[in-house]
Amino acid sequence: MQTKKAFKIFTLAVAACFGLVLVLYLILLAVNWRDQPVGQAAARLAALSTGRAALAEGDNAYVFLMGFQVAPNEDPRAWGQKRIAWSRQMAALPNIPDGAVPPGADTNFKAARTPEVQALSDACRTAEQACVDAIGKGEATIAAWAASERWLFERYRALLAHQAWREDMPYDMRFPMPAFHPVFEGQKLLHLKAWTLAGQGDAAGVKALLEADIRFWRLGLASSEMLISKMIAVAAINRHFSLGALALRRLPAQSAMQAMPQQWLAPVSDAERSMLRPFAGELRFAENALRRTDAPEAMREYDVTWGGKMATGVFKPLMQIQDTSNRYAEVLASVEDALRVPYAQLPQALVRASNITDAVAKKGPMPDRMYNPVGDMFLRVGIPDFTNYAARVTDLEGVRRLAALTVGLHSRAVPAAQLRHQLAAADERNPYDGKPFQWDEKTGAILFVGLSEGERGRHAFIY
């Protein structure tokens, strides 16, 4: 009898708990019945894309980049158009069919390289002493590389001729992005050609190559709407200045300044420095990812169990995509606003920008409000710290100043023994603290140490 009564009490208790949970869930559903309208910050970021003028695919460098690595006898632009069209077609479907792959095959051009050519390419990722030594002793290897990959050099020159850059494709991590490694190999070939022309005293030829290179990558720096594209442009510009300085240094002293591109003397603009466009792209990526959290292909990709699928069905109504997007956009806009200061204030501005994202992340995954608790959890767990990306961009101004100064000192044939004095008297200085650039007598290089973390922040120009 006691057992029967105890079981009845237990059953009632369980039913009461279940009923309480159900009532709470129904209250949450009622609170989350409607999403929010587009917020001011989200609209500000969206307008960066929607407000741009129409651009023909034939004028768009990004289309060319999408097909850059196809075989030498193929048309990069045609394959780029096909790949973007495929991505748009797949994005319009509820789910990507199993086995669907982008059209066209990339070529493994490095497989045909000799060990000597590959060693030279590896040495000249940047213009450190290893690169200087390699090109100084490897003129035959440079000639062999130029001859064997003439198609890559010409393809890279065709890329540089573009006057516009726009990532006009679905902002979705399921779809391919350009393979930038072969693009960088083409850039190395261009700079080795400039170095060869400098050895022949062809200042005009050197200037034409360097002008085309820096113009294009500064275009990408200002126009990119993806964070990865912005960082690719940063890497390309850093390589341009370091390898370009080697070519200019090889010219006769009186010709070096004549061959220097005008853009070496133009400060990095606010548009080039701004993170707002790539932040707009990050927001679009996040929105697309949130929309497909319960897609069947996403369930397969992450091997979600039956119980996980049930939980997804229960919790998805408690996620408001637009509200989450609004809050993320507010964070991104606040970070950009914090970074929009003069160079002298940037070290402190980076700290403030980092604190903005840290304040969100430190709240932890547990919700503190009834509206959009799942969206808040995604935002707090997934928000990155963007400050080191921003530091890489702002460091470009210091690199530009150092590159121009190094070539200027070379053009005046300043001996190494006088460099400390000349650096102290120079107008070109560290943009953050106004101090002179450093002379490293041991390595024979002039140094700029920026705000980027680790080795990324150290820039050395061999004198």
Side-chain angles (χ1 to χ4, degrees):
M1 195 72 178
Q2 292 292 332
T3 302
K4 187 175 180 180
K5 184 177 180 180
F7 180 75
K8 185 176 181 180
I9 294 173
F10 173 76
T11 303
L12 290 172
V14 171
C17 290
F18 179 79
L20 180 60
V21 170
L22 181 60
V23 169
L24 289 174
Y25 182 71
L26 291 174
I27 292 173
L28 285 172
L29 285 180
V31 171
N32 288 274
W33 191 251
R34 288 187 179 86
D35 204 346
Q36 296 296 312
V38 177
Q40 183 177 359
R44 174 188 176 192
L45 294 176
L48 293 172
S49 296
T50 58
R52 301 180 78 176
L55 178 64
E57 288 188 338
D59 300 330
N60 189 353
Y62 197 79
V63 175
F64 196 92
L65 283 166
M66 283 295 296
F68 191 90
Q69 200 178 350
V70 295
N73 61 336
E74 298 285 358
D75 182 352
R77 179 175 293 105
W79 281 109
Q81 290 171 336
K82 292 177 183 179
R83 290 173 174 179
I84 290 175
W86 177 88
S87 297
R88 291 172 178 164
Q89 180 184 4
M90 293 298 105
L93 299 176
N95 299 290
I96 298 178
D98 291 337
V101 294
D106 290 336
T107 181
N108 181 15
F109 61 92
K110 293 176 67 175
R113 284 181 174 176
T114 65
E116 293 78 13
V117 167
Q118 189 56 51
L120 177 60
S121 174
D122 292 341
C124 288
R125 290 191 178 98
T126 58
E128 299 283 351
Q129 190 62 49
C131 178
V132 175
D133 294 341
I135 61 177
K137 300 174 184 177
E139 290 198 30
T141 302
I142 293 173
W145 187 6
S148 63
E149 295 180 11
R150 177 75 183 179
W151 67 272
L152 182 58
F153 172 78
E154 296 296 345
R155 185 170 289 182
Y156 185 72
R157 290 291 304 275
L159 171 67
L160 300 186
H162 288 82
Q163 301 295 317
W165 173 309
R166 184 182 304 173
E167 294 100 335
D168 194 11
M169 61 179 298
Y171 282 64
D172 193 318
M173 294 304 296
R174 296 174 296 169
F175 304 125
M177 294 183 182
F180 282 102
H181 176 73
V183 178
F184 285 160
E185 293 298 292
Q187 187 185 32
K188 292 177 190 176
L189 282 169
L190 179 135
H191 280 273
L192 289 176
K193 177 67 173 179
W195 187 85
T196 300
L197 293 176
Q200 300 167 1
D202 186 354
V206 172
K207 184 173 185 177
L209 292 177
L210 296 186
E211 278 185 336
D213 197 52
I214 188 60
R215 181 207 64 81
F216 176 79
W217 288 112
R218 289 187 73 160
L219 168 71
L221 184 69
S223 305
S224 55
E225 294 183 1
M226 294 183 186
L227 190 58
I228 188 171
S229 298
K230 188 89 168 179
M231 294 304 104
I232 289 294
V234 168
I237 292 171
N238 279 324
R239 184 178 290 107
H240 167 88
F241 281 127
S242 62
L243 293 178
L246 290 184
L248 293 172
R249 191 185 73 168
R250 198 183 190 204
L251 285 167
Q254 64 274 15
S255 301
M257 289 301 291
Q258 298 172 11
M260 181 190 292
Q262 188 63 32
Q263 290 211 28
W264 281 43
L265 303 176
V268 176
S269 68
D270 290 343
E272 291 169 330
R273 223 180 80 181
S274 173
M275 297 295 290
L276 207 56
R277 286 196 182 279
F279 282 172
E282 288 300 302
L283 183 64
R284 292 173 66 182
F285 273 117
E287 290 172 343
N288 285 331
L290 289 173
R291 289 190 181 99
R292 60 181 292 266
T293 51
D294 63 343
E297 60 179 344
M299 298 291 182
R300 291 195 301 272
E301 180 181 349
Y302 297 106
D303 196 23
V304 178
T305 63
W306 179 84
K309 294 177 182 178
M310 288 281 292
T312 300
V314 170
F315 287 110
K316 187 176 182 183
L318 307 182
M319 180 176 69
Q320 305 299 332
I321 293 176
Q322 188 58 60
D323 181 69
T324 307
S325 176
N326 289 345
R327 292 164 72 85
Y328 191 26
E330 289 168 2
V331 172
L332 295 172
S334 296
V335 170
E336 165 67 14
D337 292 342
L339 296 173
R340 195 172 293 180
V341 297
Y343 282 99
Q345 299 175 25
L346 267 169
Q348 296 77 25
L350 287 170
V351 174
R352 290 195 299 272
S354 182
N355 289 340
I356 291 170
T357 53
D358 283 350
V360 177
K362 286 179 179 178
K363 289 182 178 180
M366 296 304 296
D368 56 5
R369 60 176 185 154
M370 295 180 70
Y371 185 74
N372 193 19
V374 177
D376 287 353
M377 180 190 70
F378 273 110
L379 184 60
R380 294 171 184 179
V381 172
I383 194 165
D385 185 346
F386 294 102
T387 51
N388 198 45
Y389 297 113
R392 294 186 211 174
V393 177
T394 60
D395 280 353
L396 287 176
E397 175 60 16
V399 176
R400 182 200 66 79
R401 294 182 186 186
L402 179 55
L405 174 60
T406 302
V407 175
L409 293 170
H410 168 72
S411 71
R412 304 202 317 268
V414 175
Q418 297 180 19
L419 277 178
R420 290 189 191 278
H421 172 73
Q422 291 291 329
L423 291 173
D427 293 332
E428 298 91 344
R429 291 169 171 260
N430 186 310
Y432 304 122
D433 58 17
K435 294 181 179 179
F437 292 115
Q438 306 167 29
W439 167 241
D440 187 343
E441 189 173 354
K442 183 177 180 181
T443 62
I446 307 175
L447 304 179
F448 163 59
V449 180
L451 300 179
S452 301
E453 295 177 353
E455 284 299 306
R456 290 185 186 276
R458 181 185 179 277
H459 303 273
F461 281 70
I462 303 296
Y463 186 73

